[in-house]
Amino acid sequence: MAPIMVEALLGAVDRARERAGFLSVEAVAALADDGVLVLDPFSTLVSPGVALAGGVTLWPGTIIQATEGGEVTVGSGTRLFPGTRIVAAGGRVTIGAETEIGEEGGFTIKADHPGCLIEIGSHARLLGGGSLALANHIGDGAQVLGPIRMQDCRLQSGGSHRDPDPDRRGGVLKGSGVARGLTVPTGMVIQAFGLFGEAPLRPQSFFHPKPRA
């Protein structure tokens, strides 16, 4: 493709991005100057003012959008995998360090009204096409595993999924369906395929037996 055509195409792309409230391709690529690893700036959308710490990895197809005074902060070493969409439309999304979001099918996080706060701690995992809406607190080491629609839930902090004692890990939801207004304590898990409020709360060692001494 001739250089003039490439320049015209890039200009059209950047104008569309600006109208939608996103950084230009060049500005996304320049996040590398702050230590952010952007694997494909052409397919990655980031709003101005989003706070990304050094060591964050943005895989192709990730979207981080802050509008209407919304705020998004992402801690060091966190990885956002393809299909991850984070929206703060008047609300606030905070993500800690060394967290994994969106592997195995993407993930959607929406704080889409004023005063809405979604907190995600460090060393957490949110995988498999799920979503967070309204207020949610995902503590350190907590996990959401599967296409689960969460609203107003709390997963309490603990060790990460690598902690050798499963009953010390952060709270876990696994399966698929809808979870509303639930609290999962440290070391506990709810597995469901439908309504999580109707499923039992079990220790994580029920699914992951402790290693024998």
Side-chain angles (χ1 to χ4, degrees), residues 141-212:
Q143 301 179 77
V144 181
L145 308 176
I148 303 167
R149 294 173 55 200
M150 294 178 59
Q151 300 173 355
D152 293 322
C153 291
R154 294 185 63 85
L155 306 185
Q156 294 185 350
S157 297
S160 77
H161 68 284
R162 296 184 177 88
D163 193 306
D165 184 348
D167 293 339
R168 294 172 49 189
R169 298 172 185 171
V172 175
L173 294 181
K174 61 188 296 187
S176 62
V178 179
R180 294 190 181 98
L182 299 177
T183 295
V184 181
T186 302
M188 304 300 283
V189 56
I190 299 177
Q191 181 183 47
F193 300 92
L195 296 177
F196 278 75
E198 298 177 354
L201 188 66
R202 296 187 173 105
Q204 292 186 37
S205 55
F206 178 87
F207 296 96
H208 305 283
K210 298 181 183 182
R212 295 183 179 180

